[in-house]
Amino acid sequence: MSEHRVIPLKVNAWIDEGVAPLVEALNEIPDIETLDSCEDDSGAARVYFRFRGPDTAEVTIARTSELARMLNGALVRYEVDIEFRGDYDPIARIATAPDSVQDLAAAIRARVVVTRSA
């Protein structure tokens, strides 16, 4: 069986309205793959993601760490972590309070887009 080349393609997905700005901001980052998102009843807006690359695990760890460092000093409360689930590649998670989604999305855009275009 031959391998086919895969390319990123942004598609429409039905997600919780309150977390949508965060998903949109993350999807502007090159090679990111948003996997799941939720604005839950416990008061958290979460997005799960990973990065694509030759070694997805290493790329996800490195790029998620880079994202967390870039957000350091942003005037918004958030959490970034990486989950390891058995034999699967690690999955990263970013979370914030629902009333901080817009500010976190703006911080991501300000730091990531400027860094990418520099």
Side-chain angles (χ1 to χ4, degrees):
M1 187 182 273
S2 66
E3 287 190 35
H4 298 277
R5 182 172 176 254
V6 296
I7 60 170
L9 178 66
K10 305 301 180 189
V11 298
N12 292 329
W14 295 97
I15 61 172
D16 293 342
E17 183 177 20
V19 78
L22 184 53
V23 173
E24 290 175 330
L26 289 167
N27 279 325
E28 293 177 15
I29 300 172
D31 301 323
I32 201 167
E33 180 179 15
T34 52
L35 304 169
D36 193 12
S37 63
C38 182
E39 181 183 17
D40 63 29
D41 295 334
S42 71
R46 297 181 177 92
V47 181
Y48 293 87
F49 61 94
R50 67 180 167 210
F51 287 92
R52 305 274 307 200
D55 183 342
T56 298
E58 287 183 14
V59 171
T60 295
I61 293 166
R63 299 279 311 274
T64 301
S65 296
E66 178 185 342
L67 174 63
R69 275 193 304 278
M70 281 191 273
L71 289 173
N72 190 24
L75 300 177
V76 59
R77 294 187 70 171
Y78 64 92
E79 295 177 357
V80 177
D81 58 27
I82 300 172
E83 298 178 8
F84 294 86
R85 300 178 178 183
D87 294 335
Y88 297 101
D89 286 328
I91 297 172
R93 176 185 67 91
I94 190 165
T96 192
D99 61 352
S100 297
V101 167
Q102 292 285 356
D103 292 336
L104 183 55
I108 290 169
R109 285 190 173 103
R111 286 160 172 80
V112 174
V113 173
V114 169
T115 301
R116 180 176 37 167
S117 63

